[in-house]
Amino acid sequence: LELTTRTRRDPIISSDTCNYYVINCSSQLYMTSGTLMSGNNVYQKNYNILSGLYNIKKVRTVSGVDYYSFVPVDDTSLRLDVYNAVDQENANIQLFSYNSAYPQAQEFRLIQNSDGTYYIQPRLSTTRVLGTVSDDNTSNIQLVTQSNSDRQK
């Protein structure tokens, strides 16, 4: 996935807090949610004024690995979240109210690739990353086993 401020590509710096769009490298579509409500699906979509802009903020370091929260700029009560905090293939990615009981479902590792793109891996998994099963507009974002596919970057 590519993280961009829309005007330039910026690397994530571990102490940095900045607003970013998340773009799927395969489809060139933006990670977004139709409406900002707890429990809404996250999917990819063509850019428009409502495309998801996320404040990506470092929230903790575990065993030397930095983890970040993805907070929609237009509703700071929500977080990017793995549905039911479960590490399973095709688990849904959603927006959900901040949940201190299951922080591992709302904290993500950014694994930078040599081409400057990233895999986004939830703290609750060591093998799965965010991805899509197709390049279609409105294809759902879900957890998939990391396979070096551009749909995961």
Side-chain angles (χ1 to χ4, degrees), residues 73-108:
V73 171
D74 292 333
D75 189 340
T76 59
S77 70
L78 299 174
R79 304 288 184 274
L80 194 65
D81 178 270
V82 178
Y83 180 75
N84 277 345
V86 62
D87 179 18
Q88 71 180 38
E89 195 70 10
N90 302 319
N92 192 48
I93 304 300
Q94 64 179 358
L95 292 180
F96 200 76
S97 299
Y98 173 71
N99 186 345
S100 62
Y102 297 99
Q104 67 276 19
Q106 297 183 339
E107 296 173 0
F108 298 85

mmCIF file of all heavy atoms in Angstrom, residues 73-108:
data_model
loop_
_atom_site.group_PDB
_atom_site.id
_atom_site.type_symbol
_atom_site.label_atom_id
_atom_site.label_comp_id
_atom_site.label_asym_id
_atom_site.label_seq_id
_atom_site.Cartn_x
_atom_site.Cartn_y
_atom_site.Cartn_z
ATOM 1 N N VAL A 73 -9.638 11.258 9.845
ATOM 2 C CA VAL A 73 -9.514 12.669 10.193
ATOM 3 C C VAL A 73 -10.870 13.283 10.521
ATOM 4 O O VAL A 73 -10.980 14.121 11.403
ATOM 5 C CB VAL A 73 -8.804 13.434 9.054
ATOM 6 C CG1 VAL A 73 -8.856 14.931 9.264
ATOM 7 C CG2 VAL A 73 -7.368 12.956 8.940
ATOM 8 N N ASP A 74 -11.914 12.816 9.830
ATOM 9 C CA ASP A 74 -13.243 13.405 10.015
ATOM 10 C C ASP A 74 -14.015 12.852 11.201
ATOM 11 O O ASP A 74 -15.110 13.327 11.502
ATOM 12 C CB ASP A 74 -14.075 13.233 8.741
ATOM 13 C CG ASP A 74 -13.518 14.062 7.597
ATOM 14 O OD1 ASP A 74 -12.871 15.092 7.868
ATOM 15 O OD2 ASP A 74 -13.724 13.670 6.440
ATOM 16 N N ASP A 75 -13.476 11.823 11.886
ATOM 17 C CA ASP A 75 -14.123 11.298 13.096
ATOM 18 C C ASP A 75 -13.069 10.613 13.952
ATOM 19 O O ASP A 75 -12.787 9.424 13.791
ATOM 20 C CB ASP A 75 -15.250 10.325 12.763
ATOM 21 C CG ASP A 75 -16.059 9.949 14.007
ATOM 22 O OD1 ASP A 75 -15.551 10.113 15.149
ATOM 23 O OD2 ASP A 75 -17.197 9.477 13.839
ATOM 24 N N THR A 76 -12.501 11.359 14.876
ATOM 25 C CA THR A 76 -11.386 10.855 15.678
ATOM 26 C C THR A 76 -11.799 9.863 16.764
ATOM 27 O O THR A 76 -10.951 9.351 17.481
ATOM 28 C CB THR A 76 -10.606 12.024 16.304
ATOM 29 O OG1 THR A 76 -11.500 12.781 17.117
ATOM 30 C CG2 THR A 76 -9.992 12.907 15.231
ATOM 31 N N SER A 77 -13.093 9.562 16.868
ATOM 32 C CA SER A 77 -13.537 8.538 17.821
ATOM 33 C C SER A 77 -13.401 7.133 17.224
ATOM 34 O O SER A 77 -13.511 6.146 17.946
ATOM 35 C CB SER A 77 -14.995 8.766 18.228
ATOM 36 O OG SER A 77 -15.874 8.480 17.141
ATOM 37 N N LEU A 78 -13.145 7.040 15.906
ATOM 38 C CA LEU A 78 -13.062 5.752 15.223
ATOM 39 C C LEU A 78 -11.619 5.345 14.969
ATOM 40 O O LEU A 78 -10.718 6.187 14.943
ATOM 41 C CB LEU A 78 -13.816 5.814 13.886
ATOM 42 C CG LEU A 78 -15.304 6.126 13.975
ATOM 43 C CD1 LEU A 78 -15.888 6.303 12.577
ATOM 44 C CD2 LEU A 78 -16.039 5.037 14.737
ATOM 45 N N ARG A 79 -11.415 4.037 14.766
ATOM 46 C CA ARG A 79 -10.113 3.474 14.435
ATOM 47 C C ARG A 79 -10.293 2.422 13.353
ATOM 48 O O ARG A 79 -11.323 1.744 13.295
ATOM 49 C CB ARG A 79 -9.464 2.785 15.653
ATOM 50 C CG ARG A 79 -9.301 3.636 16.895
ATOM 51 C CD ARG A 79 -8.208 4.680 16.689
ATOM 52 N NE ARG A 79 -7.958 5.461 17.891
ATOM 53 C CZ ARG A 79 -8.614 6.555 18.249
ATOM 54 N NH1 ARG A 79 -9.619 6.996 17.524
ATOM 55 N NH2 ARG A 79 -8.292 7.220 19.330
ATOM 56 N N LEU A 80 -9.257 2.241 12.538
ATOM 57 C CA LEU A 80 -9.217 1.075 11.669
ATOM 58 C C LEU A 80 -9.140 -0.133 12.592
ATOM 59 O O LEU A 80 -8.420 -0.122 13.595
ATOM 60 C CB LEU A 80 -7.982 1.157 10.773
ATOM 61 C CG LEU A 80 -7.928 0.219 9.578
ATOM 62 C CD1 LEU A 80 -9.030 0.564 8.580
ATOM 63 C CD2 LEU A 80 -6.566 0.305 8.910
ATOM 64 N N ASP A 81 -9.881 -1.207 12.276
ATOM 65 C CA ASP A 81 -10.081 -2.289 13.237
ATOM 66 C C ASP A 81 -10.263 -3.620 12.507
ATOM 67 O O ASP A 81 -10.898 -3.674 11.450
ATOM 68 C CB ASP A 81 -11.342 -1.962 14.043
ATOM 69 C CG ASP A 81 -11.719 -3.012 15.059
ATOM 70 O OD1 ASP A 81 -12.483 -3.935 14.707
ATOM 71 O OD2 ASP A 81 -11.265 -2.900 16.213
ATOM 72 N N VAL A 82 -9.718 -4.695 13.095
ATOM 73 C CA VAL A 82 -9.966 -6.047 12.591
ATOM 74 C C VAL A 82 -11.213 -6.567 13.300
ATOM 75 O O VAL A 82 -11.245 -6.654 14.529
ATOM 76 C CB VAL A 82 -8.766 -6.987 12.859
ATOM 77 C CG1 VAL A 82 -9.072 -8.398 12.362
ATOM 78 C CG2 VAL A 82 -7.502 -6.433 12.216
ATOM 79 N N TYR A 83 -12.234 -6.894 12.511
ATOM 80 C CA TYR A 83 -13.520 -7.343 13.051
ATOM 81 C C TYR A 83 -13.339 -8.500 14.032
ATOM 82 O O TYR A 83 -12.659 -9.485 13.741
ATOM 83 C CB TYR A 83 -14.433 -7.763 11.897
ATOM 84 C CG TYR A 83 -15.791 -8.244 12.330
ATOM 85 C CD1 TYR A 83 -16.760 -7.337 12.750
ATOM 86 C CD2 TYR A 83 -16.105 -9.595 12.329
ATOM 87 C CE1 TYR A 83 -18.016 -7.772 13.156
ATOM 88 C CE2 TYR A 83 -17.358 -10.037 12.725
ATOM 89 C CZ TYR A 83 -18.303 -9.125 13.131
ATOM 90 O OH TYR A 83 -19.538 -9.562 13.534
ATOM 91 N N ASN A 84 -13.930 -8.375 15.198
ATOM 92 C CA ASN A 84 -13.895 -9.377 16.275
ATOM 93 C C ASN A 84 -12.488 -9.709 16.770
ATOM 94 O O ASN A 84 -12.292 -10.742 17.410
ATOM 95 C CB ASN A 84 -14.608 -10.663 15.867
ATOM 96 C CG ASN A 84 -16.101 -10.570 16.073
ATOM 97 O OD1 ASN A 84 -16.597 -9.678 16.770
ATOM 98 N ND2 ASN A 84 -16.831 -11.476 15.459
ATOM 99 N N ALA A 85 -11.508 -8.878 16.444
ATOM 100 C CA ALA A 85 -10.127 -9.077 16.903
ATOM 101 C C ALA A 85 -9.637 -10.491 16.644
ATOM 102 O O ALA A 85 -9.004 -11.119 17.481
ATOM 103 C CB ALA A 85 -10.000 -8.730 18.397
ATOM 104 N N VAL A 86 -9.936 -11.006 15.431
ATOM 105 C CA VAL A 86 -9.585 -12.385 15.111
ATOM 106 C C VAL A 86 -8.575 -12.426 13.963
ATOM 107 O O VAL A 86 -8.709 -11.719 12.967
ATOM 108 C CB VAL A 86 -10.853 -13.217 14.771
ATOM 109 C CG1 VAL A 86 -11.573 -12.666 13.554
ATOM 110 C CG2 VAL A 86 -10.529 -14.672 14.579
ATOM 111 N N ASP A 87 -7.550 -13.251 14.136
ATOM 112 C CA ASP A 87 -6.527 -13.440 13.114
ATOM 113 C C ASP A 87 -6.920 -14.637 12.254
ATOM 114 O O ASP A 87 -6.537 -15.772 12.527
ATOM 115 C CB ASP A 87 -5.164 -13.672 13.772
ATOM 116 C CG ASP A 87 -4.052 -13.896 12.765
ATOM 117 O OD1 ASP A 87 -4.226 -13.539 11.580
ATOM 118 O OD2 ASP A 87 -3.003 -14.438 13.164
ATOM 119 N N GLN A 88 -7.725 -14.367 11.225
ATOM 120 C CA GLN A 88 -8.123 -15.439 10.318
ATOM 121 C C GLN A 88 -8.203 -14.904 8.894
ATOM 122 O O GLN A 88 -8.434 -13.719 8.677
ATOM 123 C CB GLN A 88 -9.437 -16.084 10.725
ATOM 124 C CG GLN A 88 -10.663 -15.236 10.512
ATOM 125 C CD GLN A 88 -11.936 -15.952 10.936
ATOM 126 O OE1 GLN A 88 -11.957 -16.667 11.929
ATOM 127 N NE2 GLN A 88 -12.992 -15.747 10.198
ATOM 128 N N GLU A 89 -8.011 -15.797 7.934
ATOM 129 C CA GLU A 89 -8.058 -15.416 6.523
ATOM 130 C C GLU A 89 -9.397 -14.773 6.192
ATOM 131 O O GLU A 89 -10.455 -15.263 6.601
ATOM 132 C CB GLU A 89 -7.829 -16.662 5.657
ATOM 133 C CG GLU A 89 -7.511 -16.373 4.223
ATOM 134 C CD GLU A 89 -6.127 -15.759 4.001
ATOM 135 O OE1 GLU A 89 -5.293 -15.710 4.932
ATOM 136 O OE2 GLU A 89 -5.894 -15.310 2.877
ATOM 137 N N ASN A 90 -9.338 -13.675 5.472
ATOM 138 C CA ASN A 90 -10.503 -12.909 5.020
ATOM 139 C C ASN A 90 -11.282 -12.225 6.141
ATOM 140 O O ASN A 90 -12.426 -11.819 5.924
ATOM 141 C CB ASN A 90 -11.439 -13.770 4.171
ATOM 142 C CG ASN A 90 -10.734 -14.338 2.960
ATOM 143 O OD1 ASN A 90 -9.945 -13.648 2.323
ATOM 144 N ND2 ASN A 90 -10.985 -15.596 2.657
ATOM 145 N N ALA A 91 -10.675 -12.088 7.317
ATOM 146 C CA ALA A 91 -11.333 -11.325 8.383
ATOM 147 C C ALA A 91 -11.573 -9.906 7.882
ATOM 148 O O ALA A 91 -10.725 -9.303 7.212
ATOM 149 C CB ALA A 91 -10.474 -11.306 9.646
ATOM 150 N N ASN A 92 -12.727 -9.369 8.175
ATOM 151 C CA ASN A 92 -13.125 -8.054 7.687
ATOM 152 C C ASN A 92 -12.365 -6.936 8.409
ATOM 153 O O ASN A 92 -12.093 -7.016 9.600
ATOM 154 C CB ASN A 92 -14.630 -7.858 7.902
ATOM 155 C CG ASN A 92 -15.148 -6.656 7.161
ATOM 156 O OD1 ASN A 92 -14.861 -6.471 5.989
ATOM 157 N ND2 ASN A 92 -15.912 -5.827 7.846
ATOM 158 N N ILE A 93 -12.062 -5.884 7.648
ATOM 159 C CA ILE A 93 -11.490 -4.669 8.219
ATOM 160 C C ILE A 93 -12.611 -3.635 8.249
ATOM 161 O O ILE A 93 -13.336 -3.452 7.276
ATOM 162 C CB ILE A 93 -10.295 -4.165 7.391
ATOM 163 C CG1 ILE A 93 -9.227 -5.254 7.264
ATOM 164 C CG2 ILE A 93 -9.723 -2.890 8.000
ATOM 165 C CD1 ILE A 93 -8.661 -5.743 8.584
ATOM 166 N N GLN A 94 -12.748 -2.978 9.369
ATOM 167 C CA GLN A 94 -13.842 -2.037 9.570
ATOM 168 C C GLN A 94 -13.343 -0.801 10.299
ATOM 169 O O GLN A 94 -12.200 -0.748 10.743
ATOM 170 C CB GLN A 94 -14.942 -2.702 10.401
ATOM 171 C CG GLN A 94 -14.488 -3.062 11.811
ATOM 172 C CD GLN A 94 -15.567 -3.700 12.653
ATOM 173 O OE1 GLN A 94 -16.699 -3.864 12.228
ATOM 174 N NE2 GLN A 94 -15.232 -4.056 13.882
ATOM 175 N N LEU A 95 -14.208 0.180 10.422
ATOM 176 C CA LEU A 95 -13.997 1.276 11.350
ATOM 177 C C LEU A 95 -14.763 0.922 12.602
ATOM 178 O O LEU A 95 -15.871 0.390 12.540
ATOM 179 C CB LEU A 95 -14.524 2.594 10.772
ATOM 180 C CG LEU A 95 -13.777 3.147 9.578
ATOM 181 C CD1 LEU A 95 -14.418 4.447 9.113
ATOM 182 C CD2 LEU A 95 -12.307 3.376 9.895
ATOM 183 N N PHE A 96 -14.155 1.190 13.761
ATOM 184 C CA PHE A 96 -14.803 0.856 15.011
ATOM 185 C C PHE A 96 -14.376 1.867 16.061
ATOM 186 O O PHE A 96 -13.278 2.409 16.007
ATOM 187 C CB PHE A 96 -14.430 -0.563 15.445
ATOM 188 C CG PHE A 96 -15.391 -1.172 16.428
ATOM 189 C CD1 PHE A 96 -16.627 -1.642 16.003
ATOM 190 C CD2 PHE A 96 -15.069 -1.266 17.768
ATOM 191 C CE1 PHE A 96 -17.524 -2.195 16.898
ATOM 192 C CE2 PHE A 96 -15.951 -1.815 18.677
ATOM 193 C CZ PHE A 96 -17.191 -2.287 18.240
ATOM 194 N N SER A 97 -15.240 2.099 17.018
ATOM 195 C CA SER A 97 -14.901 2.995 18.126
ATOM 196 C C SER A 97 -13.644 2.492 18.825
ATOM 197 O O SER A 97 -13.391 1.289 18.878
ATOM 198 C CB SER A 97 -16.051 3.051 19.131
ATOM 199 O OG SER A 97 -17.212 3.540 18.510
ATOM 200 N N TYR A 98 -12.875 3.429 19.371
ATOM 201 C CA TYR A 98 -11.673 3.042 20.095
ATOM 202 C C TYR A 98 -12.037 2.001 21.140
ATOM 203 O O TYR A 98 -13.008 2.142 21.876
ATOM 204 C CB TYR A 98 -11.023 4.260 20.765
ATOM 205 C CG TYR A 98 -9.878 3.870 21.651
ATOM 206 C CD1 TYR A 98 -8.695 3.407 21.106
ATOM 207 C CD2 TYR A 98 -9.999 3.938 23.030
ATOM 208 C CE1 TYR A 98 -7.641 3.028 21.914
ATOM 209 C CE2 TYR A 98 -8.944 3.569 23.849
ATOM 210 C CZ TYR A 98 -7.771 3.108 23.292
ATOM 211 O OH TYR A 98 -6.738 2.728 24.098
ATOM 212 N N ASN A 99 -11.252 0.919 21.214
ATOM 213 C CA ASN A 99 -11.542 -0.195 22.110
ATOM 214 C C ASN A 99 -10.279 -0.574 22.874
ATOM 215 O O ASN A 99 -9.421 -1.293 22.355
ATOM 216 C CB ASN A 99 -12.062 -1.389 21.298
ATOM 217 C CG ASN A 99 -12.527 -2.522 22.167
ATOM 218 O OD1 ASN A 99 -12.230 -2.583 23.355
ATOM 219 N ND2 ASN A 99 -13.254 -3.444 21.566
ATOM 220 N N SER A 100 -10.140 -0.113 24.107
ATOM 221 C CA SER A 100 -8.945 -0.390 24.906
ATOM 222 C C SER A 100 -8.871 -1.850 25.347
ATOM 223 O O SER A 100 -7.805 -2.321 25.729
ATOM 224 C CB SER A 100 -8.895 0.534 26.120
ATOM 225 O OG SER A 100 -10.021 0.314 26.958
ATOM 226 N N ALA A 101 -9.970 -2.591 25.268
ATOM 227 C CA ALA A 101 -9.963 -4.009 25.657
ATOM 228 C C ALA A 101 -9.242 -4.877 24.622
ATOM 229 O O ALA A 101 -8.720 -5.940 24.964
ATOM 230 C CB ALA A 101 -11.391 -4.512 25.856
ATOM 231 N N TYR A 102 -9.246 -4.440 23.347
ATOM 232 C CA TYR A 102 -8.612 -5.214 22.270
ATOM 233 C C TYR A 102 -7.732 -4.318 21.400
ATOM 234 O O TYR A 102 -7.965 -4.191 20.204
ATOM 235 C CB TYR A 102 -9.667 -5.914 21.406
ATOM 236 C CG TYR A 102 -10.476 -6.927 22.162
ATOM 237 C CD1 TYR A 102 -11.738 -6.614 22.646
ATOM 238 C CD2 TYR A 102 -9.955 -8.190 22.426
ATOM 239 C CE1 TYR A 102 -12.471 -7.534 23.369
ATOM 240 C CE2 TYR A 102 -10.683 -9.122 23.147
ATOM 241 C CZ TYR A 102 -11.940 -8.782 23.616
ATOM 242 O OH TYR A 102 -12.655 -9.704 24.334
ATOM 243 N N PRO A 103 -6.698 -3.711 21.989
ATOM 244 C CA PRO A 103 -5.873 -2.793 21.202
ATOM 245 C C PRO A 103 -5.153 -3.478 20.045
ATOM 246 O O PRO A 103 -4.866 -2.847 19.035
ATOM 247 C CB PRO A 103 -4.888 -2.228 22.223
ATOM 248 C CG PRO A 103 -4.821 -3.272 23.284
ATOM 249 C CD PRO A 103 -6.198 -3.858 23.351
ATOM 250 N N GLN A 104 -4.882 -4.769 20.154
ATOM 251 C CA GLN A 104 -4.173 -5.473 19.090
ATOM 252 C C GLN A 104 -4.976 -5.523 17.789
ATOM 253 O O GLN A 104 -4.419 -5.754 16.718
ATOM 254 C CB GLN A 104 -3.770 -6.892 19.530
ATOM 255 C CG GLN A 104 -4.916 -7.850 19.756
ATOM 256 C CD GLN A 104 -5.559 -7.769 21.138
ATOM 257 O OE1 GLN A 104 -5.411 -6.786 21.860
ATOM 258 N NE2 GLN A 104 -6.288 -8.812 21.506
ATOM 259 N N ALA A 105 -6.286 -5.279 17.847
ATOM 260 C CA ALA A 105 -7.123 -5.236 16.646
ATOM 261 C C ALA A 105 -7.133 -3.852 16.004
ATOM 262 O O ALA A 105 -7.613 -3.695 14.883
ATOM 263 C CB ALA A 105 -8.553 -5.647 16.980
ATOM 264 N N GLN A 106 -6.566 -2.853 16.707
ATOM 265 C CA GLN A 106 -6.607 -1.474 16.207
ATOM 266 C C GLN A 106 -5.212 -0.859 16.079
ATOM 267 O O GLN A 106 -5.078 0.337 15.868
ATOM 268 C CB GLN A 106 -7.480 -0.618 17.121
ATOM 269 C CG GLN A 106 -8.920 -1.070 17.141
ATOM 270 C CD GLN A 106 -9.815 -0.196 17.992
ATOM 271 O OE1 GLN A 106 -9.358 0.520 18.886
ATOM 272 N NE2 GLN A 106 -11.105 -0.240 17.724
ATOM 273 N N GLU A 107 -4.199 -1.705 16.209
ATOM 274 C CA GLU A 107 -2.823 -1.239 16.073
ATOM 275 C C GLU A 107 -2.155 -2.018 14.955
ATOM 276 O O GLU A 107 -2.310 -3.241 14.857
ATOM 277 C CB GLU A 107 -2.064 -1.427 17.385
ATOM 278 C CG GLU A 107 -2.652 -0.583 18.500
ATOM 279 C CD GLU A 107 -2.039 -0.857 19.862
ATOM 280 O OE1 GLU A 107 -1.129 -1.717 19.974
ATOM 281 O OE2 GLU A 107 -2.478 -0.218 20.829
ATOM 282 N N PHE A 108 -1.403 -1.292 14.117
ATOM 283 C CA PHE A 108 -0.863 -1.882 12.896
ATOM 284 C C PHE A 108 0.614 -1.572 12.729
ATOM 285 O O PHE A 108 1.058 -0.459 12.994
ATOM 286 C CB PHE A 108 -1.632 -1.362 11.681
ATOM 287 C CG PHE A 108 -3.088 -1.730 11.721
ATOM 288 C CD1 PHE A 108 -3.989 -0.927 12.413
ATOM 289 C CD2 PHE A 108 -3.548 -2.874 11.112
ATOM 290 C CE1 PHE A 108 -5.334 -1.258 12.470
ATOM 291 C CE2 PHE A 108 -4.891 -3.220 11.167
ATOM 292 C CZ PHE A 108 -5.779 -2.417 11.850
#
